[in-house]
Amino acid sequence: DQQVKQNSPSLSVQEGRISILNCDYTNSMFDYFLWYKKYPAEGPTFLISISSIKDKNEDGRFTVFLNKSAKHLSLHIVPSQPGDSAVYFCAASDGDSSYKLIFGSGTRLLVRP
Amino acid sequence: DVKVTQSSRYLVKRTGEKVFLECVQDMDHENMFWYRQDPGLGLRLIYFSYDVKMKEKGDIPEGYSVSREKKERFSLILESASTNQTSMYLCASRPVTGLYGYTFGSGTRLTVV
């Protein structure tokens, strides 16, 4: 059973508009969440993270929101750019001492010019 | 620039062959990981190592083994390759402390025929 779920396999948005990527998790022990971006033929690269003690973290055009009661997080990209087209993975960890990240299945974002 | 280097970008092997996937990191990281990425399944953890000569099974270790004789190198071994092991294999590393997740290699696309 997947502990981290990304229910939308793909998303298409117009350049300049907002992209919202969603992620749900089932394990209430998760306390740290990350988003990774992956281009074809490259490894995933770290994008942004959030600790469970926060409900929002912002870095430039990227903002991650966490709703612990709903076990839901989302990544907002504003404004979206064609270079943002990639696969985005949500990941979770149950603490800094945990060695493992649990990844979702990914959402492929296409930003149309 | 810190790096995780995977020795091969593309590999084609025959069923039953013993396959070695090599990963080297230059960041003096203690933890290293092997994941495989498959469409619709995201990244699934095969094995990880939290220190030299230390290893633990991930979520899908069957058919794989690993070796970590030196801190910088983590090898994934397919004892007898099968067609269901055709996949993208990703190596990652992280320091024992720090909340910024993994650094990934570029991946090895393995095809077993």
Side-chain angles (χ1 to χ4, degrees), chain A residues 2 32 34 36 38 40-46 49 87 89 93 95-106, chain B residues 9-10 31 33 35 37 40-43 45 48 50 59 88 90 94 96-102 104-107:
Chain A
Q2 283 190 303
Y32 194 69
L34 307 91
Y36 280 80
K38 185 181 185 298
E42 295 183 14
T45 55
F46 170 75
S49 63
V87 177
F89 291 99
S93 171
D96 185 44
S97 61
S98 170
Y99 302 110
K100 302 192 299 183
L101 289 178
I102 309 299
F103 286 84
S105 55
Chain B
R9 293 298 299 272
Y10 300 95
N31 303 157
F33 307 83
Y35 282 83
Q37 180 196 357
L41 297 176
L43 277 66
L45 181 64
F48 63 102
Y50 48 90
D59 300 317
M88 168 68 82
L90 292 161
R94 59 158 275 180
V96 71
T97 58
L99 296 176
Y100 295 100
Y102 301 168
F104 280 92
S106 297

Side-chain angles (χ1 to χ4, degrees), chain A residues 22-72:
Chain A
N22 293 303
C23 179
D24 297 294
Y25 62 97
T26 58
N27 188 342
S28 58
M29 297 300 293
F30 288 151
D31 61 359
Y32 194 69
F33 304 89
L34 307 91
W35 285 93
Y36 280 80
K37 179 166 102 172
K38 185 181 185 298
Y39 293 118
E42 295 183 14
T45 55
F46 170 75
L47 188 59
I48 192 169
S49 63
I50 188 167
S51 166
S52 59
I53 63 174
K54 295 186 176 181
D55 56 15
K56 177 182 174 181
N57 188 27
E58 190 171 356
D59 184 2
R61 296 185 298 112
F62 302 91
T63 303
V64 56
F65 296 92
L66 175 62
N67 183 334
K68 284 190 68 178
S69 61
K71 295 190 179 69
H72 177 83

Side-chain angles (χ1 to χ4, degrees), chain A residues 7 12 15 68 83 98:
Chain A
N7 292 316
S12 179
E15 181 179 5
K68 284 190 68 178
S98 170

Side-chain angles (χ1 to χ4, degrees), chain A residues 6-28:
Chain A
Q6 294 177 257
N7 292 316
S8 297
S10 64
L11 175 68
S12 179
V13 300
Q14 194 74 36
E15 181 179 5
R17 306 293 290 268
I18 185 171
S19 296
I20 300 176
L21 293 89
N22 293 303
C23 179
D24 297 294
Y25 62 97
T26 58
N27 188 342
S28 58

Side-chain angles (χ1 to χ4, degrees), chain B residues 18-87:
Chain B
K18 190 169 187 176
V19 181
F20 293 85
L21 302 183
E22 305 288 346
C23 175
V24 177
Q25 51 99 358
D26 64 0
M27 297 165 283
D28 202 36
H29 286 172
E30 290 83 3
N31 303 157
M32 296 188 75
F33 307 83
W34 276 105
Y35 282 83
R36 61 179 281 178
Q37 180 196 357
D38 299 290
L41 297 176
L43 277 66
R44 294 179 294 165
L45 181 64
I46 305 171
Y47 264 97
F48 63 102
S49 168
Y50 48 90
D51 208 341
V52 177
K53 296 191 185 292
M54 301 298 220
K55 59 187 179 185
E56 284 197 24
K57 294 179 180 179
D59 300 317
I60 51 165
E62 296 78 18
Y64 303 95
S65 63
V66 290
S67 172
R68 186 140 181 232
E69 296 296 319
K70 294 185 177 181
K71 191 175 186 179
E72 67 270 19
R73 186 180 296 270
F74 191 35
S75 302
L76 180 69
I77 304 157
L78 286 67
E79 298 291 343
S80 177
S82 63
T83 54
N84 63 13
Q85 293 178 308
T86 292
S87 186

